[in-house]
Amino acid sequence: MSRIQPTFEKLKQRGSKALIPFITAGDPNPQLTVSLMHALVEAGADIIEIGVPFSDPMADGPTIQRSSERALKHGVALHDVLDMVAKFRTTDASTPVVLMGYGNPIEAMGWERFAVRCAQVGVDGVLTVDFPPEESHEAFGHLHRHGVDPIFLLAPTTSDERITQVAKVARGYVYYVSLKGVTGAGHLDLSAIAQKIPHIRQYIGLPIGVGFGIRDAETARAVSKLCDGVVVGSRIVQEIEDSNEEVVIANVARLVKELRLAINQV
Amino acid sequence: MAYNYPDSTGHFGPYGGIYVAETLMGALDELRAAYEHYSVDPEFKAEFAYELKHYVGRPSPIYHARHWSQKLGGAQIYLKREDLNHTGAHKVNNTVGQALLAKRMGKPRVIAETGAGQHGVATATVAARYGMECVVYMGAEDVKRQATNVYRMKLLGATVVPVESGSKTLKDALNEAMRDWVTNIENTFYIIGTVAGPHPYPMMVRILIQYKQECVVQMPELAGRQPDAVIACVGGGSNAMGIFHSYIEVPGVQLIGVEAAGSGLASGQHAAALTAGKPGVLHGNRTYLLQDENGQIIETHSISAGLDYPGVGPEHAWLKDSGRAQYVAIEDSEALQAFHDLCHYEGIIPALESSHALAYAAKIAPTMGQDKVLLVNLSGRGDKDMATVARVSGIEL
């Protein structure tokens, strides 16, 4: 069973919001990923999103693209990412892990086999950026059957009709893209988010995380007031890119702690 | 036999569809609605027809390559002369159509991806013609290889953005154009250059490229009958889909798509997605892709930059599986031979892309009787390929 729903319930009881950092598996190198995951949890992450590297990350900005390229240089494949999660689970049985990426590597593995492996290694949710609900009934059926939550994006441009469709298949949480553009862009409109989130709640009972464009503690704090969780990706990946390997874990931990403190002030 | 593809959700059998991030869904809905509306609007149709006739120079003629056919000693080869269009290829039909649509949708800015630069030039051309801002994404490697076309686009007023990510070629340019589109959705129209991408692009581009099924009328006039086979090169597959679509419902006409086998299929250095790839999902649609065992897209190789793409339009995937079309592959060296032969025997310099189709025609014509008829889509002219051909011939220009 997925750990995502119980995690949001606990946070709600505490009156707290989820901090959901994102890193790409295998960046800066495959040996560091599991340590980075543990460091994220220690620094205050509630859920971890792990990017599965892909050769053609169409929805990502330059920062996450480069992280994908670094991981692919190390030959990191989907089965390696699953192995990393398995290793993480040997010492962390409770923090939800969500894989985020593109559909083709999963297609190559086969959705059923992938869903079985996710359940075995302890993946709780899967966000396939380029697989909308209408194209993927069978794929998401496999995830449902094995207790893995399909996570979906909602955008400022998503129609009410499409929100209804997403609501039928989504589990865990939904991920609201807070701006028009790719990951890491920087023109976030807080008042638009404040309007849109209550609107989405009319259609979807799941918790709502907000991401794309959250670049500092202040924005994280402001956004967390409006929703149930804050996703921070490009800013953390940027920190990984800017740090040399000896200090990368410490630098990422410091950044995530800042974000945690900011969100706790809400 | 009735051929009713794609279905209302953009599927050709299991292929096609709309595989994009949620952030693009709104824009695709808007495009679909606009296309459905204007494609049957008499005023739009009249303007498009006028532009094709007076700006592009349609209909393009069909030409009987008698001398070359005689040398080959078998089937008669006819050429559909898309090389005579304004800008030198079939691509401009599509860009005129999409630009007219963009104008009506109130989008003052158009963007495009380009490999060799032909689609970029065709887009820059219509942007100048209709007074639109134009940004063309081109892989940094291709920018280096195709300096003349980069200059052409700039002359026409376009901004050319070199793309430094990934393999720095066409597929990366396409990724970057998608990123631009999602960021500038309100004022921007994305003119995709081939029959790939999310629905409605594969259907829309196919229809715009072969606007009036000209060949079906021209062949009986010139040859007294329809061809036994229609042969076209396939990268993304736009020129092939344009000409195939005229003949899909005509019984007895074989459809043959010719992919780029590069240095040979066994070498792994090729771009033959249908011949050597596997189905998967990329750039908004499900289709055949060149990919590794982990689902990562692999780099392609062809002497012709226009065929140098790891995917293919989803309708070709369906025509392959359904058996209505056959797909073969031609190596760089064979395409070059056909290039030189057409220059030599007919006084026509073909594009290296089209030379792949010519090479396959040259391969099968001698095995057929002289009463047989092959129609080859001469999708573009070879002026743009002078530097490449000279280089492989060891000549410094």
Side-chain angles (χ1 to χ4, degrees):
Chain A
M1 265 314 284
S2 162
R3 300 160 184 83
I4 294 173
Q5 197 196 340
T7 299
F8 275 104
E9 277 166 11
K10 260 184 260 166
L11 285 163
K12 201 171 181 184
Q13 284 161 14
R14 272 195 271 141
S16 184
K17 303 296 173 76
L19 173 59
I20 312 174
F22 168 99
I23 58 171
T24 298
D27 174 37
N29 71 57
Q31 289 73 41
L32 282 176
T33 300
V34 175
S35 309
L36 270 169
M37 290 169 75
H38 287 303
L40 294 173
V41 176
E42 228 167 90
D46 300 296
I47 297 171
I48 301 177
E49 282 187 5
I50 298 293
V52 179
F54 183 50
S55 52
D56 293 81
M58 277 180 358
D60 286 297
T63 307
I64 291 179
Q65 284 175 52
R66 286 194 302 270
S67 75
S68 219
E69 285 174 16
R70 286 192 292 272
L72 288 174
K73 271 197 192 124
H74 291 289
V76 174
L78 180 55
H79 60 85
D80 299 312
V81 181
L82 290 162
D83 290 346
M84 289 174 194
V85 178
K87 197 170 165 205
F88 171 77
R89 280 276 171 254
T90 58
T91 49
D92 186 327
S94 61
T95 309
V97 173
V98 172
L99 298 189
M100 179 167 177
Y102 296 79
N104 204 54
I106 304 175
E107 290 271 319
M109 178 176 279
W111 279 90
E112 186 166 18
R113 196 171 142 223
F114 172 68
V116 169
R117 284 290 290 148
C118 282
Q120 278 171 356
V121 302
V123 168
D124 302 281
V126 172
L127 198 171
T128 321
V129 177
D130 56 350
F131 273 53
E134 6 343 30
E135 294 291 357
S136 325
H137 296 295
E138 203 189 318
F140 300 127
H142 287 303
L143 296 180
H144 287 159
R145 267 193 296 287
H146 292 279
V148 180
D149 295 336
I151 316 279
F152 288 91
L153 296 175
L154 293 174
T157 47
T158 303
S159 65
D160 295 349
E161 193 192 336
R162 289 192 48 76
I163 299 177
T164 314
Q165 271 187 307
V166 168
K168 285 183 200 151
V169 271
R171 304 275 194 280
Y173 60 97
V174 291
Y175 183 152
Y176 179 66
V177 175
S178 50
L179 49 82
K180 294 187 179 104
V182 292
T183 53
H187 17 257
L188 187 127
D189 181 350
L190 282 173
S191 67
I193 299 173
Q195 277 186 0
K196 191 75 180 189
I197 300 293
H199 185 79
I200 295 172
R201 290 204 202 278
Q202 292 173 23
Y203 300 90
I204 292 189
L206 296 174
I208 302 174
V210 174
F212 280 39
I214 297 174
R215 305 198 56 83
D216 53 53
E218 182 48 37
T219 316
R221 191 187 62 80
V223 170
S224 70
K225 277 193 211 168
L226 307 171
C227 59
D228 307 302
V230 176
V231 187
V232 183
S234 295
R235 178 65 190 89
I236 292 171
V237 171
Q238 184 69 55
E239 193 69 25
I240 292 173
E241 185 173 86
D242 293 344
S243 306
N244 61 43
E245 290 189 8
E246 299 81 67
V247 294
V248 66
I249 290 177
N251 288 357
V252 168
R254 188 169 59 235
L255 173 64
V256 173
K257 271 178 203 154
E258 277 171 33
L259 295 166
R260 177 81 262 167
L261 278 175
I263 292 172
N264 285 350
Q265 286 165 15
V266 173
Chain B
M1 53 188 162
Y3 180 87
N4 291 315
Y5 295 95
D7 66 15
S8 62
T9 51
H11 294 91
F12 304 87
Y15 301 108
I18 305 177
Y19 291 89
V20 298
E22 185 57 39
T23 41
L24 277 176
M25 281 294 180
L28 288 167
D29 280 341
E30 191 192 355
L31 174 62
R32 234 172 8 250
Y35 178 73
E36 274 165 24
H37 176 78
Y38 289 114
S39 60
V40 294
D41 170 44
E43 189 263 341
F44 177 88
K45 286 164 74 173
E47 189 180 358
F48 189 34
Y50 181 92
E51 294 291 293
L52 289 179
K53 183 171 178 193
H54 297 283
Y55 188 61
V56 174
R58 301 204 73 86
S60 64
I62 284 182
Y63 166 73
H64 183 187
R66 267 201 195 87
H67 191 193
W68 191 39
S69 303
Q70 200 185 348
K71 289 287 168 195
L72 291 166
Q76 297 306 302
I77 298 177
Y78 289 75
L79 306 176
K80 175 66 172 166
R81 297 293 307 275
E82 293 295 289
D83 60 315
L84 296 176
N85 290 333
H86 179 41
T87 74
H90 68 290
K91 294 279 188 196
V92 72
N93 303 351
N94 172 45
T95 60
V96 167
Q98 291 197 47
L100 291 178
L101 195 55
K103 218 170 67 167
R104 281 166 176 74
M105 290 170 73
K107 311 276 184 188
R109 180 174 180 268
V110 295
I111 58 170
E113 84 293 339
T114 198
Q118 290 310 100
H119 173 59
V121 168
T123 303
T125 298
V126 298
R129 164 81 183 84
Y130 303 117
M132 294 162 149
E133 186 192 343
C134 178
V135 177
V136 178
Y137 291 93
M138 189 168 184
E141 281 300 316
D142 292 332
V143 168
K144 270 189 258 164
R145 288 191 288 197
Q146 304 287 339
T148 314
N149 268 344
V150 173
Y151 183 59
R152 249 180 219 134
M153 288 183 265
K154 288 180 179 167
L155 275 179
L156 293 160
T159 304
V160 179
V161 180
V163 176
E164 299 282 354
S165 56
S167 58
K168 304 178 189 185
T169 58
L170 176 58
K171 77 177 178 66
D172 310 285
L174 214 152
N175 294 335
E176 207 56 37
M178 287 273 186
R179 291 179 188 121
D180 178 312
W181 196 29
V182 78
T183 310
N184 301 294
I185 257 165
E186 278 95 0
N187 73 344
T188 297
F189 188 105
Y190 180 14
I191 300 186
I192 291 186
T194 191
V195 287
H199 181 62
Y201 282 103
M203 171 185 78
M204 181 172 77
V205 174
R206 172 243 278 168
I207 290 169
L208 295 175
I209 282 195
Q210 193 74 356
Y211 181 58
K212 270 191 182 160
Q213 312 218 339
E214 290 162 7
C215 303
V216 181
V217 178
Q218 291 169 319
M219 279 306 289
E221 286 171 5
L222 187 66
R225 66 183 188 92
Q226 300 298 351
D228 295 292
V230 175
I231 304 174
C233 64
V234 177
S238 61
N239 88 81
M241 212 50 249
I243 198 164
F244 285 1
H245 198 245
S246 304
Y247 283 105
I248 270 177
E249 291 183 322
V250 182
V253 179
Q254 201 190 349
L255 307 176
I256 303 171
V258 185
E259 296 192 293
S263 315
L265 293 176
S267 72
Q269 309 277 303
H270 60 81
L274 288 163
T275 313
K278 276 186 314 196
V281 171
L282 180 72
H283 293 152
N285 61 141
R286 180 182 296 279
T287 186
Y288 279 81
L289 300 172
L290 290 171
Q291 52 182 318
D292 68 15
E293 71 280 10
N294 295 315
Q296 306 293 347
I297 307 307
I298 55 183
E299 285 183 34
T300 53
H301 298 270
S302 167
I303 190 168
S304 124
L307 303 183
D308 213 347
Y309 179 67
V312 62
E315 192 163 9
H316 286 295
W318 173 238
L319 291 177
K320 174 188 158 86
D321 283 13
S322 67
R324 180 60 189 95
Q326 285 76 51
Y327 294 87
V328 296
I330 282 288
E331 295 182 12
D332 288 350
S333 55
E334 299 169 296
L336 272 167
Q337 185 59 50
F339 174 96
H340 286 294
D341 287 346
L342 204 70
C343 292
H344 191 74
Y345 294 118
E346 299 292 348
I348 295 173
I349 303 177
L352 282 173
E353 291 78 13
S354 321
S355 299
H356 286 72
L358 294 166
Y360 191 71
K363 213 176 207 175
I364 60 171
T367 68
M368 301 166 80
Q370 291 183 10
D371 58 331
K372 297 293 180 188
V373 172
L374 299 175
L375 174 61
V376 179
N377 202 21
L378 187 56
S379 54
R381 60 177 173 241
D383 307 41
K384 69 182 175 59
D385 297 314
M386 292 299 96
T388 306
V389 175
R391 195 173 55 245
V392 297
S393 313
I395 296 163
E396 190 85 37
L397 288 183

